Amino acid sequence: MKQIIQKILGKSGYQLTKTRRLEDDSQLYRLNYPEDSIKRKAFYNISAGGHFGFGGSFFHPLWTNIDVDRKYDLTPMYNPECDIAYDPFDCKPLPIDDASAELFHSRFAMEHITDTHAEYLLRDIYRCLKKNGVVRFIIPNLELDYIAYKKQDYHYFSWIENFSRPEMMQLMKYRIPLNKASLQQVFLVHFAANASTIHADGIENPIEDTELDNIMRANPFETAMDLCTSRCSLEKQKIYRQNHINWWNYAKLGRFLRQAGFKTVHTLSPGQSLAPVMRNRNYFDWLWNDVALFMEAVK
C-alpha cells in the first residue's frame, strides 16, 4: 500500500516521508544550561538562505533561527518574534552580545557562501560564544564527491533523483535534470553551481566537461577545487541562494575554525556531540548524513 501511495504522490511531484517525532527535551537543557540562557533562547541555528524554509528547515522551541529572509513558495518563513534575519554576505556582526551564546548549529549552510564570508562568520560566532561554548557544522564533504568523480562512481550521487523533478529543477535553476547530466557536471554543480553548464542562468563561459577533467588532472585537490569556485559569480549566488558556491572537507573546515580562534576542534559522526542536547536525532543529524562531514569546535 505504501508503494502505491508513493507512486501516486510521485506523479504529482510529492514524496512520502516518515514524520519525525519531536519530543519535549527541555529538561535536558535545564540540566545543562542556566535558566537565563533558556529564556533568551541562547542556542542559535544559523543558515545562509540556501534552503526553502527559514533556518534551513530546522526548528526547536528553545533555539533561535538565523537566516536570510528569502521568499520561497515553500514556507514557513521569517518570524521577527522568534527569528533573526541575517545575510552573511553583508559581513556584519550578528545581533548577539559578546560571550552570550551557549551553542551554535549550522546544517548545510557553509557551502552557500564564499571563503571570505565564511571567515567573517566564523570569527563572529567565536565572539558570540561563551567560554566552553560549542559550534557544530554539518556540511557536504566534497572530498567524497571528488573520490566518486575520480572513480566514475555515478551511484554515489544518489541525491540527484530528487533534484531532477521539474519543481526542484525550477527552484534550483537547472537547465536539464541532473540524472541526464554528465558525471563531471553533477560533481561540479555540488560546489560551483553557477559555473556549471547545468545552470540556466550561470556564468558566461561555464566549465565544460573537458576543462573540468583537465583542471582536476593537473592540480592537487584543494587547488583544483578553488580554481572551479573562483569562476563562480557572487552576484548570481545572491540571486540563487539555493545553489552551492563553495567546497569543504575536514582539513579545510578545521583550518578555518582554528584561524577564527578555536583551539579545540573535533571530527564526529551523526548523533555524536560534545553538547548532550545536540545528540537528539529527532532534531539534529537527520538529513543527508551519507554525504556530510560533522565537526564541532569549542571556545
Side-chain angles (χ1 to χ4, degrees):
M1 179 62 70
K2 179 180 177 181
Q3 291 178 340
I4 294 172
I5 294 172
Q6 180 65 75
K7 187 174 182 180
I8 294 171
L9 289 172
K11 290 181 178 180
S12 300
Y14 297 96
Q15 287 185 313
L16 184 66
T17 58
K18 185 178 180 181
T19 301
R20 290 175 296 110
R21 182 173 58 86
L22 303 183
E23 61 191 37
D24 179 5
D25 59 350
S26 57
Q27 184 58 30
L28 187 59
Y29 284 80
R30 293 189 174 89
L31 288 172
N32 288 276
Y33 301 103
E35 191 64 31
D36 174 66
S37 292
I38 296 171
K39 288 180 179 179
R40 289 188 295 107
K41 297 174 66 173
F43 314 93
Y44 298 95
N45 171 64
I46 189 163
S47 297
H51 293 275
F52 307 119
F54 192 91
S57 300
F58 173 89
F59 173 77
H60 189 290
L62 299 182
W63 283 66
T64 300
N65 272 337
I66 302 173
D67 201 354
V68 181
D69 184 15
R70 299 285 285 163
K71 301 299 182 185
Y72 293 111
D73 291 334
L74 305 180
T75 52
M77 287 289 107
Y78 168 60
N79 180 349
E81 294 183 2
C82 59
D83 300 324
I84 295 174
Y86 175 81
D87 187 348
F89 286 147
D90 290 340
C91 281
K92 294 181 179 178
L94 290 159
I96 301 170
D97 291 340
D98 294 359
S100 65
E102 299 286 356
L103 299 174
F104 276 92
H105 165 264
S106 180
R107 180 181 65 197
F108 300 121
M110 299 293 281
E111 66 273 23
H112 298 273
I113 62 177
T114 70
D115 284 355
T116 298
H117 300 98
E119 287 170 354
Y120 184 93
L121 180 61
L122 292 176
R123 288 196 303 270
D124 208 47
I125 287 173
Y126 184 87
R127 172 189 65 82
C128 295
L129 277 171
K130 291 183 176 181
K131 184 179 180 181
N132 297 320
V134 177
V135 58
R136 179 176 183 81
F137 289 98
I138 301 97
I139 311 174
N141 185 351
L142 260 294
E143 197 158 344
L144 297 178
D145 290 60
Y146 176 73
I147 292 169
Y149 157 78
K150 296 285 281 188
K151 293 175 62 179
Q152 297 290 291
D153 181 8
Y154 202 89
H155 180 72
Y156 171 77
F157 302 94
S158 58
W159 44 269
I160 67 174
E161 293 301 327
N162 182 50
F163 286 90
S164 296
R165 294 183 290 123
E167 66 274 21
M168 290 304 295
M169 286 176 58
Q170 182 179 359
L171 285 169
M172 301 303 292
K173 205 63 180 181
Y174 292 159
R175 183 176 57 82
I176 61 173
L178 291 191
N179 58 13
K180 303 296 183 183
S182 67
L183 179 68
Q184 289 93 331
Q185 296 303 315
V186 170
F187 170 48
L188 184 62
V189 83
H190 208 204
F191 71 99
N194 67 54
S196 166
T197 61
I198 292 173
H199 203 283
D201 188 25
I203 62 173
E204 185 174 346
N205 296 303
I207 302 172
E208 302 280 352
D209 290 2
T210 301
E211 183 182 5
L212 179 68
D213 288 339
N214 289 337
I215 290 172
M216 293 296 159
R217 188 182 303 114
N219 297 281
F221 169 69
E222 291 205 5
T223 303
M225 302 296 278
D226 285 342
L227 284 171
C228 293
T229 55
S230 70
R231 296 274 290 276
C232 289
S233 164
L234 179 57
E235 295 310 309
K236 296 286 186 184
Q237 184 66 16
K238 289 179 179 179
I239 299 171
Y240 307 112
R241 303 287 183 125
Q242 62 272 32
N243 293 155
H244 293 187
I245 197 175
N246 208 344
W247 68 272
W248 298 91
N249 63 0
Y250 283 110
K252 178 180 176 180
L253 181 57
R255 186 168 66 247
F256 272 53
L257 286 165
R258 291 183 178 92
Q259 289 171 353
F262 293 95
K263 298 295 190 296
T264 306
V265 178
H266 298 273
T267 59
L268 301 163
S269 298
Q272 298 176 342
S273 177
L274 303 175
V277 299
M278 288 198 291
R279 298 174 196 150
N280 187 336
R281 296 286 292 273
N282 288 308
Y283 292 100
F284 303 90
D285 304 356
W286 55 265
L287 182 65
W288 296 326
N289 291 339
D290 53 337
V291 301
L293 64 82
F294 295 79
M295 184 169 280
E296 289 184 350
V298 184
K299 181 173 180 179

